[in-house]
Amino acid sequence: MTEGKEHKSKGQTESAPVDAEGSDAQNTSGTGFTSFPIVGIGASAGGLAAFEAFFSGMPPDADPGMAFVLVQHLAPDHSSILAELVQRTTRMKVMEVVDGMAVQVNCAYIIPPNRDMAFLNGTLQLLEPSAPRGHRLPIDFLFRSLAQDQRERAIGIVLSGTGSDGTLGVRAIKGEGGMVMVQNPDSCEFDGMPRSAVATGMVDYELPPAEMPAKLMAYVAQAFGSPPRPATDTAPVNENALKKIFILLRTQTGHDFSQYKTSTIYRRIERRMAVHQVDVIDSYVKFLQQTPVEVEALFRDLLIGVTNFFRDPEAFEVLEKQVIPKLFDGKPAGAVVRAWSAGCSTGEEAYSIAILLQERLELLRQSFKVQVFATDIDSRAIATARAGIYPASIVDDISPERLARFFTVEPDGGAYRVHKSIRDMLVFSEHDLIKDPPFSKLDLISCRNLMIYMSTDLQKKLIALFHYALMPGGMLFLGTSETVGEFGELFAVLDRKSKAYQRKEDFQGEKRAALGRFLSHRPTATAREVAQPLTAGQAAPAAKLSLRQLTEQTLLQQVTPTGALVNGQGDILYLHGRTGMFLEPAPGDAGINNILKMAREGLRRDLTTALHKAANSKERVHAQGLRVKTNGHFSQVNLTVCPVVHGSAAALESPLFVVILEEAPAVEAHAGPIVASQEGRSLDVSAQIAELNEELQAKEEHLHSANEALETSNEELKSSNEEMQSMNEELQSTNEELETSKEELQSINEELATVNTELQTKVTDLSRANNDMNNLLAGTGIATVFVDHDLRILRFTPPATLIINLIRSDVGRPVGHIVSNLVGYDRLVADVQTVLKTLIPKEVDVLTEEGKSYTLRILPYRTLENVIEGAVITFVEITEIVRTREALRKANELLRLAVVVRDAFDAITVQDLDGRILAWNPGAVRMYGWTELEALKMNVRDRIPAALQEQALASVRQLSQAETLEPCQTQRIAKDGSIKAVSLTSTALVNESGHMYAIATTERTKQPKTGSNTELRDESAG
C-alpha cells in the first residue's frame, strides 16, 4: 500500500483508522525492525516503587520474550542507582544505556541522568537535552521514536508521576498500531501522568503495576505469537463478520464504516482481538454484542488521530507562503475569510492554520474577519480541541516565537493554553463528512490524510463535495498521500508535492454540488452516482426510484407533456419535454439553472407565487390562462405546481416540486355580427384593466406574505439582540470586577513575595538545625520528652508515644495532663520539679502496662549559654536486661534442683498430660532397669498394671484441681516384668499463665505387708 507508507512518513492529522498494513510494508524494509516487541516504560515521582512492583510481577522462571526501556525523570547532577535497584527484582539483565547500545531481547535498559534517549534502527541513542530543566519530556521523546521505529511492535507503559509527560507519546504509539498500558491512578503515589494518558481515550489496559506483566505477556503471545505475514500476503477476511461489526458500530455510534478500506478496518479489529485474547472474529462479534463498552473502544481505535502542531513542516511552509496569501487577494477590507479543517482530531492542525492566518493578518495590517471551522466525528477529540490545553511537549513542534505569542503557560507549568485571540477564531463541532451537510462559501479546506482510509467511490463523493463547498478560486489542502484523482478538471494544482489545489469553475461541478445537497443523507449513494451530470437521457438514481422515474410518474398522473422537477428555491433538477416555449436561459453566469430566472415574460410572477404557495401549503396550486410572451406573440398557458410525495422523495431533506406547463386551448370565435371598432377597443381596455387588477392583487398578496415573514424574522432578531446585549453587559461587568481583583491580587502577591524571600532564608537555617536534631534523636532510639520550666511539652521522639500517650497536638500541654502507661510510678511531675530545683539528675526503673521495663532519667536542659530552660526526660528500655537477669536467677535455682534430682536415691520422673515420659533420673534407672534413652521413648501406661490404669486416669483429673497429691501406695512394672510396690508422690507443673502442662512424680520402693488383702490404690498422675 503506497499511500499508507507515504502517509506514515509524513504524519496523520485527523481521527481516522490507522493503516497498519502500510506500516508493515515499511518496517520490513528498515534495518531497525526487531523480531521482538520493545516496551517503553516511563515514570516520574513515585516511579521507583512502581518499577519494583512491575518487575516483581514478572514470572520468576520464564523469559518475557521482549525488551524493556525505562525512562525516569532523574536529577541531572546526580548519578543514578536505578539499574542496581531494578536488578534486585528481575532475573533479566539490567544495564544503564551507553550511546549506540543495541537492544537485545530479555534485557532491561535504564536511561542515564541528564540525557534524552531515542530508539533508532534497533539501537538506543543518547542526546544532550535541548529543553531547560523542568521542561524536559524524555518519556514523550522515547515513545515517539519507538513508535516511528517499531510501529505496531511498540508498547508504551506510563507509571506514577506528575505532569503530562508521555501523553503525546501514547498518541504516537497508538497511531502506529501499538499497545498502551497505564498504571491505575488509584494505585499511584502521584497520578498526574497516568490521568493525562487516560484522558486521551487511547489506553488499552489500566492496571496496578504488579498485574501488568501477566496481561503484557498474554497480549504479546496473542499478537506476535505466530510468524508475521509478508506484506504482500492478504489474509482472508470474513465479510459477514465484518458486516455484523459495521452494524453494531452504526447502531451504537451512529457512524457507518462500511465504506472504509477493509484491510484498514480488519487490522484494527485484529488488534482489539489481541487485547481481549480472542482468536476468531466470529467470537469477537459475540463479544461485541455482549459488551457495549467494547463497541465504543473499537470505535475509538478506528478514530485514532495522531497529530501535532505544524506537522509536516514543508507542507505548512507551502500553506503559509503560497496558499494563505491567495485567500486575501482581491478581498476588500472587512471581508470574511472562511476555512474548514475537516477531520481535525484534537485540534492541533486547526490551531496551526489559525496561527498562520493571524500572522498573515498582522502582515497585511488590514481588518478582515477570519473564521476557521474544525470538525471531527470523535466527540472526545473535539472536547480536547475546544479546551485548547495541550501538554508541555508541544514545545518540540512550535517555534519559541510562536509559543510565546500564541500560548500561555498553565499555573502548574505542565501544559500550554491557546491564546484567546486564536481560540476565538475557531468553531469546533462534531461532523460526519459522509452524512452531514458540508459548510459552504469557504476559502480554504484542509482535509489531510483522511480519504486514504476510504473507498474510491467515497473519495470521489468527498472531492465533489469539497468543490461545491469552496468559493470560486478557493484552496484545497490534502495529505501528502492524497490527490483529487479523476477530478483534475475541477482543481488546478498549486503545489503537487504538498497537495495544494485551487478550485476551478466548472458547470458540471455545480450540478453535482446541487444534487449533493438533496441526496447527501443517503449512505447508499456512491460518489460516482453523485458525480454524473444530469441530462434528459441520464439521471442519478435516488434510492429505489431515479429522479427521471420520479418526475415521469408525477407527470403521467397529470397527463402533461412538459414539466420540470425543482426544489423550493426553484433550482432545476430535471427537465421533461420541450420547454423552450416557456423557459429561456437567463443572462449572466451559467451556474445552477433556476426556473424562476428562466421563466419567460408573463410567467415569472405567477410561477413565483404558485411555487411559494405550494411550498407553504404542501398542496397543488393552479394558475389558468397566463399570457406568456413567446417569440414576439403571447400564448395562453396553464400552470400547475405539485409537491412530490412518491417513494423516497418524501424523505428528502429539501422538498421537491413538479412544475407543469401546458398551452391553453384557443377560444373559439363567436358566430354573431362583427362588433364596431369603438366597442372593440372598449372591450380591450376593460380586459387590460381587469388583467392589471389581477396582477396587482397577486403582487399585493405576495408582498403581504413577504412582509409577514420579514416581521417575524425581525421580531426574532430583535429578541436575540436584546438577550445578547444583556449577556454582553453582564459579561462586561464581570470582566471589570475580575480585572480589579486581578490588580489587587497582583499587588498582594508582590508584597508576599518580598516577605517570603526574607522568611525563606530563616526557614532554611531553622530547617537545617531541625533536621540535625531530628536525626540525632531518631538515631538514638531512646524515648525522649523535652519540657520547659512549667512542665509544658516542647518536643518528643516517636518512641515516647509508647510510654506516654502523646500525639502531635499535645505539644504545649503540661506533661502531668498526659496519661502514661507506667505501672506503680506516679511521681513523674514531682521528680521533674525536684530536678529543676536541685539540678541533680534522677534515675529510677519503671514498668509499663505492656510489661516492658525502662530506666527513667530526668536531667536539666541546658542551652549553649549554660542556661536551664527545662528538663529532658528519657526512657531507656531495659526489658531484655531484666528478663536476662530473671532468667539467670531461675537457671541458678534449676541448676541446684538438678543436682538434687541427680543425686537422689528415689526414682524422679516427669511426664506430659498424655503420659509421655519427659525426664528420667538415675534413681529411676536403678529402680526399674530402663535407661534414660529407653524411658524417654515410653509412655507411663507401659509401667502401670492394666487393672490400675483407670484409677491412674482419675488421679490425673484430681491432680488438675490441686498442685500436689498426698503420697499413696501403688504398683509399677519394672523392665524385667516384675511388679514393684512403690510409694508415689505426684506434683503438677504449672506454666506462667497458671495452666498445668506436666506432672512430676517421686517413687520409692516399699515391701508390702504379709497377709494384707487391702486393695492398693493408684494415685499416680500417669
Side-chain angles (χ1 to χ4, degrees):
M1 293 180 60
T2 306
E3 289 181 344
K5 289 190 289 184
E6 184 179 355
H7 163 61
K8 288 303 172 187
S9 66
K10 295 299 182 183
Q12 179 179 335
T13 61
E14 72 296 308
S15 294
V18 177
D19 194 347
E21 185 177 1
S23 300
D24 291 343
Q26 183 170 347
N27 281 337
T28 54
S29 65
T31 59
F33 186 82
T34 60
S35 59
F36 52 88
I38 307 296
V39 183
I41 309 179
S44 179
L48 179 57
F51 281 142
E52 293 177 344
F54 177 85
F55 285 105
S56 298
M58 301 287 289
D61 54 351
D63 292 326
M66 60 195 92
F68 299 86
V69 183
L70 279 64
V71 178
Q72 188 177 25
H73 294 179
L74 301 172
D77 51 354
H78 289 82
S79 60
S80 172
I81 59 171
L82 182 59
E84 178 182 345
L85 297 175
V86 172
Q87 185 65 77
R88 300 174 185 174
T89 59
T90 179
R91 57 178 282 169
M92 293 187 296
K93 184 178 180 181
V94 182
M95 61 200 82
E96 190 169 274
V97 174
V98 178
D99 191 25
M101 178 178 286
V103 174
Q104 299 178 357
V105 68
N106 301 322
C107 293
Y109 301 88
I110 310 295
I111 186 174
N114 200 30
R115 288 292 184 273
D116 283 341
M117 183 167 61
F119 196 93
L120 178 66
N121 294 336
T123 62
L124 292 169
Q125 305 293 325
L126 300 179
L127 298 90
E128 291 282 348
S130 57
R133 184 177 180 182
H135 296 277
R136 299 172 188 170
L137 301 167
I139 302 174
D140 276 332
F141 194 75
L142 172 70
F143 281 8
R144 281 182 168 183
S145 65
L146 189 64
Q148 294 170 1
D149 198 82
Q150 295 299 301
R151 308 295 183 185
E152 75 277 0
R153 290 185 177 270
I155 299 174
I157 299 178
V158 179
L159 300 178
S160 174
T162 59
S164 61
D165 194 10
T167 300
L168 294 184
V170 165
R171 292 182 179 275
I173 289 176
K174 290 290 289 185
E176 300 295 347
M179 188 269 282
V180 174
M181 282 184 168
V182 168
Q183 183 176 355
N184 188 330
D186 295 336
S187 66
C188 294
E189 187 174 352
F190 298 91
D191 60 359
M193 282 169 39
R195 290 192 184 278
S196 179
V198 170
T200 64
M202 299 182 181
V203 174
D204 295 300
Y205 299 99
E206 188 178 336
L207 300 167
E211 299 178 13
M212 288 182 176
K215 287 289 185 183
L216 178 62
M217 297 182 70
Y219 169 81
V220 170
Q222 177 77 14
F224 310 111
S226 58
R229 290 196 309 269
T232 57
D233 181 25
T234 56
V237 177
N238 189 329
E239 294 290 345
N240 290 332
L242 277 181
K243 290 179 180 178
K244 292 182 176 65
I245 292 176
F246 292 150
I247 292 173
L248 292 173
L249 285 169
R250 187 176 62 185
T251 301
Q252 183 161 329
T253 67
H255 299 291
D256 185 10
F257 289 90
S258 60
Q259 298 184 65
Y260 283 75
K261 290 182 178 178
T262 303
S263 59
T264 299
I265 300 297
Y266 193 71
R267 289 186 178 275
R268 281 285 124 192
I269 293 173
E270 281 184 327
R271 208 194 66 80
R272 293 303 305 173
M273 290 169 61
V275 169
H276 292 287
Q277 306 295 299
V278 179
D279 297 323
V280 184
I281 191 171
D282 290 330
S283 300
Y284 184 66
V285 173
K286 295 180 181 178
F287 179 66
L288 285 174
Q289 290 176 306
Q290 299 169 359
T291 315
V293 177
E294 176 60 18
V295 178
E296 187 70 20
L298 176 60
F299 172 66
R300 299 296 175 190
D301 264 21
L302 294 175
L303 298 181
I304 289 173
V306 179
T307 180
N308 54 301
F309 288 93
F310 301 98
R311 189 161 188 165
D312 193 359
E314 295 179 357
F316 270 92
E317 185 176 358
V318 172
L319 182 68
E320 178 183 6
K321 296 182 178 179
Q322 299 185 35
V323 177
I324 288 184
K326 293 181 179 296
L327 304 183
F328 296 91
D329 290 346
K331 286 185 178 290
V336 179
V337 175
R338 292 160 58 90
W340 179 19
S341 175
C344 68
S345 187
T346 49
E348 285 90 334
E349 180 187 279
Y351 283 119
S352 300
I353 294 173
I355 288 173
L356 295 181
L357 291 170
Q358 179 63 29
E359 290 176 342
R360 185 64 184 175
L361 286 175
E362 295 172 356
L363 185 63
L364 294 175
R365 297 182 179 179
Q366 293 184 7
S367 176
F368 290 95
K369 182 178 181 181
V370 177
Q371 292 180 330
V372 180
F373 303 98
T375 64
D376 199 281
I377 64 175
D378 188 351
S379 59
R380 294 186 183 180
I382 288 296
T384 302
R386 282 177 177 150
I389 300 176
Y390 295 95
S393 52
I394 64 173
V395 297
D396 296 333
D397 306 318
I398 305 176
S399 65
E401 295 78 9
R402 283 173 173 164
L403 194 66
R405 290 177 58 195
F406 302 116
F407 295 85
T408 56
V409 183
E410 288 294 277
D412 59 359
Y416 286 88
R417 182 186 294 271
V418 179
H419 197 273
K420 186 176 184 298
S421 61
I422 299 298
R423 177 63 183 87
D424 290 344
M425 296 169 62
L426 289 104
V427 176
F428 291 98
S429 64
E430 293 183 46
H431 182 275
D432 192 337
L433 280 175
I434 299 176
K435 68 177 183 178
D436 293 334
F439 296 92
S440 60
K441 298 182 180 180
L442 298 167
D443 297 285
L444 170 66
I445 295 179
S446 174
C447 182
R448 308 187 66 227
N449 305 314
L450 172 64
M451 293 191 297
I452 59 174
Y453 305 111
M454 298 178 177
S455 64
T456 304
D457 290 338
L458 189 54
Q459 290 182 24
K460 293 178 180 179
K461 178 180 179 181
L462 289 185
I463 293 297
L465 182 137
F466 290 156
H467 187 272
Y468 160 72
L470 285 169
M471 294 276 285
M475 301 296 174
L476 178 63
F477 190 38
L478 299 179
T480 52
S481 300
E482 300 165 332
T483 64
V484 295
E486 62 187 53
F487 293 94
E489 74 279 2
L490 302 181
F491 294 93
V493 178
L494 194 64
D495 187 282
R496 189 172 301 278
K497 182 179 179 181
S498 299
K499 303 302 167 61
Y501 300 90
Q502 186 171 19
R503 182 187 189 273
K504 294 194 301 185
E505 287 301 319
D506 184 78
F507 169 74
Q508 298 297 340
E510 296 201 14
K511 274 288 190 182
R512 288 189 291 270
L515 179 60
R517 285 184 291 173
F518 308 110
L519 303 182
S520 62
H521 73 289
R522 296 180 296 124
T524 57
T526 64
R528 183 175 297 276
E529 294 168 346
V530 174
Q532 299 300 326
L534 297 175
T535 63
Q538 184 180 12
K544 296 182 180 180
L545 295 177
S546 68
L547 294 178
R548 177 178 177 179
Q549 293 170 337
L550 189 62
T551 305
E552 290 178 347
Q553 285 188 9
T554 305
L555 290 173
L556 288 174
Q557 291 181 0
Q558 305 301 323
V559 193
T560 181
T562 305
L565 179 67
V566 300
N567 64 357
Q569 288 75 40
D571 296 334
I572 299 175
L573 301 178
Y574 187 80
L575 291 175
H576 180 78
R578 300 174 63 87
T579 59
M581 179 179 176
F582 315 104
L583 306 176
E584 63 180 351
D589 187 13
I592 300 174
N593 290 327
N594 190 284
I595 196 171
L596 301 179
K597 295 180 181 179
M598 297 177 63
R600 288 183 179 272
E601 182 181 345
L603 177 62
R604 181 176 303 172
R605 174 182 55 81
D606 295 279
L607 178 57
T608 303
T609 304
L611 184 60
H612 180 71
K613 289 182 177 180
N616 290 334
S617 64
K618 302 296 187 294
E619 296 179 354
R620 184 179 306 167
V621 178
H622 298 279
Q624 303 292 333
L626 304 181
R627 298 181 72 251
V628 179
K629 186 175 182 181
T630 306
N631 298 327
H633 68 278
F634 288 90
S635 302
Q636 296 291 326
V637 177
N638 293 334
L639 168 67
T640 304
V641 179
C642 301
V644 176
V645 295
H646 287 284
S648 61
L652 293 174
E653 293 181 351
S654 178
L656 302 182
F657 303 88
V658 171
V659 177
I660 304 169
L661 299 167
E662 57 182 347
E663 189 175 1
V667 181
E668 296 182 359
H670 296 283
I674 299 176
V675 182
S677 60
Q678 182 66 30
E679 185 178 356
R681 285 195 297 271
S682 177
L683 292 174
D684 289 340
V685 171
S686 299
Q688 290 179 3
I689 292 174
E691 182 179 349
L692 290 174
N693 286 334
E694 291 177 359
E695 183 177 352
L696 181 59
Q697 184 178 359
K699 287 185 177 294
E700 288 178 351
E701 292 177 359
H702 183 70
L703 183 60
H704 180 69
S705 175
N707 285 336
E708 289 180 349
L710 182 60
E711 288 176 0
T712 302
S713 299
N714 286 336
E715 290 176 358
E716 293 176 354
L717 289 174
K718 183 178 180 181
S719 176
S720 299
N721 187 45
E722 291 175 354
E723 293 177 0
M724 294 298 294
Q725 287 180 351
S726 176
M727 186 180 299
N728 186 50
E729 292 174 356
E730 294 176 2
L731 290 175
Q732 185 67 27
S733 175
T734 303
N735 187 49
E736 292 175 356
E737 294 176 0
L738 289 175
E739 286 292 336
T740 303
S741 301
K742 179 182 178 182
E743 294 174 357
E744 295 175 356
L745 290 174
Q746 185 66 27
S747 176
I748 295 173
N749 187 51
E750 292 174 357
E751 297 174 359
L752 290 176
T754 303
V755 176
N756 185 57
T757 303
E758 298 174 355
L759 293 178
Q760 189 65 37
T761 304
K762 296 181 180 179
V763 168
T764 302
D765 297 338
L766 290 174
S767 177
R768 184 178 296 109
N770 191 48
N771 289 335
D772 293 343
M773 185 172 183
N774 285 336
N775 281 281
L776 175 63
L777 294 176
T780 61
I782 298 174
T784 307
V785 180
F786 296 88
V787 297
D788 59 11
H789 281 290
D790 297 327
L791 304 189
R792 289 191 295 267
I793 297 173
L794 300 176
R795 183 194 299 270
F796 58 89
T797 59
T801 60
L802 303 177
I803 303 170
I804 302 176
N805 297 330
L806 293 171
I807 57 177
R808 290 296 177 188
S809 59
D810 287 333
V811 173
R813 294 181 59 190
V815 70
H817 292 182
I818 310 300
V819 179
S820 70
N821 296 324
L822 300 177
V823 178
Y825 179 76
D826 56 359
R827 292 185 48 79
L828 179 61
V829 174
D831 288 345
V832 173
Q833 291 173 341
T834 301
V835 169
L836 289 175
K837 290 179 181 179
T838 63
L839 302 183
I840 300 175
K842 184 176 181 61
E843 182 174 316
V844 61
D845 291 343
V846 294
L847 182 68
T848 65
E849 294 177 352
E850 296 179 355
K852 293 185 178 181
S853 300
Y854 293 88
T855 296
L856 168 63
R857 294 190 182 95
I858 306 175
L859 298 91
Y861 182 94
R862 299 177 184 271
T863 64
L864 295 177
E865 293 79 16
N866 199 27
V867 176
I868 305 300
E869 291 190 352
V872 181
I873 306 171
T874 62
F875 296 86
V876 180
E877 186 175 358
I878 58 172
T879 303
E880 292 300 325
I881 297 176
V882 172
R883 289 178 179 174
T884 303
R885 187 164 54 205
E886 183 65 20
L888 182 60
R889 182 184 63 79
K890 292 181 179 180
N892 289 333
E893 293 178 354
L894 290 176
L895 181 61
R896 290 193 294 271
L897 290 175
V899 172
V900 174
V901 170
R902 183 193 62 191
D903 297 337
F905 185 79
D906 297 334
I908 300 175
T909 67
V910 177
Q911 62 197 50
D912 63 14
L913 300 182
D914 292 329
R916 289 188 297 272
I917 297 176
L918 304 177
W920 188 264
N921 75 333
V925 175
R926 292 191 297 270
M927 183 178 296
Y928 296 110
W930 283 292
T931 64
E932 182 180 7
L933 183 60
E934 293 172 338
L936 293 179
K937 297 179 181 179
M938 296 172 57
N939 192 289
V940 71
R941 295 183 180 86
D942 299 335
R943 302 192 302 111
I944 302 175
L948 300 178
Q949 287 186 359
E950 185 65 29
Q951 295 180 1
L953 182 61
S955 298
V956 172
R957 290 194 294 266
Q958 183 179 359
L959 183 62
S960 64
Q961 301 176 359
E963 294 185 357
T964 305
L965 294 180
E966 294 294 330
C968 62
Q969 302 298 322
T970 185
Q971 295 179 348
R972 290 291 183 265
I973 302 175
K975 182 178 181 179
D976 57 5
S978 62
I979 296 178
K980 295 182 177 291
V982 296
S983 174
L984 177 67
T985 302
S986 299
T987 303
L989 299 182
V990 182
N991 57 20
E992 294 179 355
S993 60
H995 299 289
M996 182 177 68
Y997 67 90
I999 299 172
T1001 62
T1002 303
E1003 303 172 12
R1004 180 176 300 172
T1005 58
K1006 191 173 184 180
Q1007 296 297 330
K1009 295 181 180 180
T1010 305
S1012 176
N1013 294 326
T1014 305
E1015 187 173 334
L1016 296 176
R1017 296 187 303 113
D1018 187 356
E1019 296 295 336
S1020 74

